[in-house]
Amino acid sequence: MDLEGKDVISMRDFDKETILHVLNKAREIESCPDPALLMGKIMAALFYEPSTRTRLSFEAAIKRLGGGVIGFSDPDTSSTAKGESLADSIRIVEGYADVIVLRHPLEGASRLAADVAIIPVINAGDGANQHPTQTFLDLYTIQKEKGRLEDLRIGFLGDLKYGRTVHSLATALKHFAVELCFISPPLLRMPEYVLHELDEAKISYREETSLEDAVRHLDILYCTRIQKERFGSAIDHEKVRGVYRVSKQTLVSAHEELRIMHPLPRVDELDPGVDESKHALYFEQARNGIPVRQALLAMIMGKI
Ligand code: NCD
């Protein structure tokens, strides 16, 4: 699939062949980046929700290829504060940029923006729905570390209800022969619509509540933060706050080759004591955001 001029909204829009193609392009770009590849191209980064890694790695990605950035990271400093609709903002910004990267608290906001915009839109996270560029970098990280995307036992831990990174990643992994294990409190189970997709793709998965029981069988443990800002009530959040904490202690029964991933930021679910262990893969995972986002930007702009 040629991505020139295309939007990146949901992992559901990508087949296996296209996913692998993007990962190959990221590998090529990482080994041999061309500092003038996106010369003269402008990326608009519209962030209606907080971000560190996603926004900064998108910005670094395009700047290292010769492109420029406009945008905002605080909607209160944009015309949104005056009551401008998202659709209007998009129609204005598309006149100033070649691609729009959008993060928004509402599910479906990126799809709406893509319907309105003539230029490509990249979803940098829409509420609890999807975060496709995070998924591409997660897959890139797994492939680089394990040498494959098939024949892996992957555990997802934490907030599987509101975490968009786990929704996107599970959707993408249905193309690969993996075994999935969803570890969460009952309140934060993986949504039925994601489980249904996996059933249709005949991916085997199980649901667990105990991390200690699950961890010994895993090749990858993908941890997530409890998404406090997406809870309907403070009481519900209180019920699950601090429910899991991955530490050297909880990893004693883990396989030597277990690798821990986390989209970050972490709060209290991943002990910094794990950082120096052979299991920690999350800082490298964050660094992989650069080549993966460079590949996606360059493909969308028809440069590779
Ligand atoms: C994630 C997000 O924004 O969904 N962060 C990220 O992009 N690396 C995860 C989170 O906020 O917990």
Side-chain angles (χ1 to χ4, degrees), residues 1-270:
M1 179 177 163
D2 181 7
L3 292 190
E4 183 171 1
K6 293 276 191 326
D7 305 304
V8 179
I9 305 299
S10 164
M11 286 315 294
R12 278 182 205 98
D13 303 335
F14 294 91
D15 58 17
K16 180 173 180 174
E17 195 191 332
T18 311
I19 292 173
L20 294 174
H21 185 55
V22 171
L23 303 187
N24 284 340
K25 290 291 175 193
R27 200 169 312 112
E28 281 172 31
I29 241 174
E30 184 169 26
S31 64
C32 190
D34 168 1
L37 187 66
L38 296 182
M39 187 80 88
K41 296 292 183 189
I42 293 188
M43 178 185 89
L46 311 184
F47 278 67
Y48 292 80
E49 264 194 344
S51 171
T52 301
R53 274 148 296 273
T54 304
R55 185 173 63 83
L56 297 184
S57 67
F58 259 115
E59 291 196 8
I62 192 161
K63 285 183 177 176
R64 285 184 190 277
L65 297 180
V69 180
I70 57 170
F72 54 80
S73 52
D74 175 2
D76 289 343
T77 64
S78 77
S79 282
T80 309
K82 300 179 188 170
E84 184 168 67
S85 69
L86 176 63
D88 277 1
S89 298
I90 294 293
R91 295 192 71 174
I92 298 306
V93 170
E94 71 179 355
Y96 307 152
D98 301 289
V99 59
I100 292 173
V101 176
L102 175 70
R103 171 170 287 191
H104 199 281
L106 293 179
E107 288 87 35
S110 293
R111 186 75 72 192
L112 180 143
D115 287 347
V116 170
I118 297 160
I119 64 172
V121 172
I122 301 178
N123 180 6
D126 62 327
N129 186 29
Q130 286 267 312
H131 193 351
T133 66
Q134 177 71 43
T135 294
F136 277 111
L137 80 87
D138 293 341
L139 296 172
Y140 186 70
T141 304
I142 296 171
Q143 196 187 46
K144 212 166 149 183
E145 179 67 19
K146 296 287 184 188
R148 62 190 195 276
L149 288 168
E150 313 273 352
D151 186 28
L152 289 168
R153 290 159 302 177
I154 304 179
F156 291 65
L157 174 76
D159 189 345
L160 310 186
K161 179 176 181 183
Y162 296 114
R164 55 195 172 200
T165 62
V166 284
H167 301 160
S168 278
L169 185 55
T171 301
L173 284 171
K174 73 180 181 193
H175 299 296
F176 301 93
V178 289
E179 271 177 51
L180 305 180
C181 178
F182 300 128
I183 312 150
S184 75
L187 200 64
L188 299 179
R189 284 182 61 217
M190 189 60 99
E192 285 298 335
Y193 72 89
V194 177
L195 299 180
H196 181 69
E197 264 183 288
L198 296 172
D199 286 335
E200 290 213 309
K202 305 219 173 348
I203 295 292
S204 90
Y205 64 84
R206 58 181 208 282
E207 295 185 88
E208 299 263 3
T209 51
S210 161
L211 169 62
E212 281 75 9
D213 290 349
V215 84
R216 69 186 79 229
H217 307 292
L218 298 175
D219 300 304
I220 299 277
L221 177 64
Y222 193 98
C223 306
T224 62
R225 169 181 75 87
I226 305 279
Q227 307 278 301
K228 183 179 178 190
E229 67 276 27
R230 305 200 199 288
F231 277 67
S233 87
I235 296 169
D236 275 353
H237 176 249
E238 240 355 90
K239 285 185 198 153
V240 290
R241 191 166 63 93
V243 65
Y244 297 113
R245 184 171 176 86
V246 176
S247 66
K248 280 185 172 165
Q249 203 60 40
T250 46
L251 295 176
V252 282
S253 62
H255 210 263
E256 273 277 291
E257 300 303 317
L258 169 76
R259 291 294 173 268
I260 311 245
M261 296 176 67
H262 194 310
L264 303 175
R266 64 176 151 191
V267 185
D268 49 13
E269 67 285 350
L270 178 53

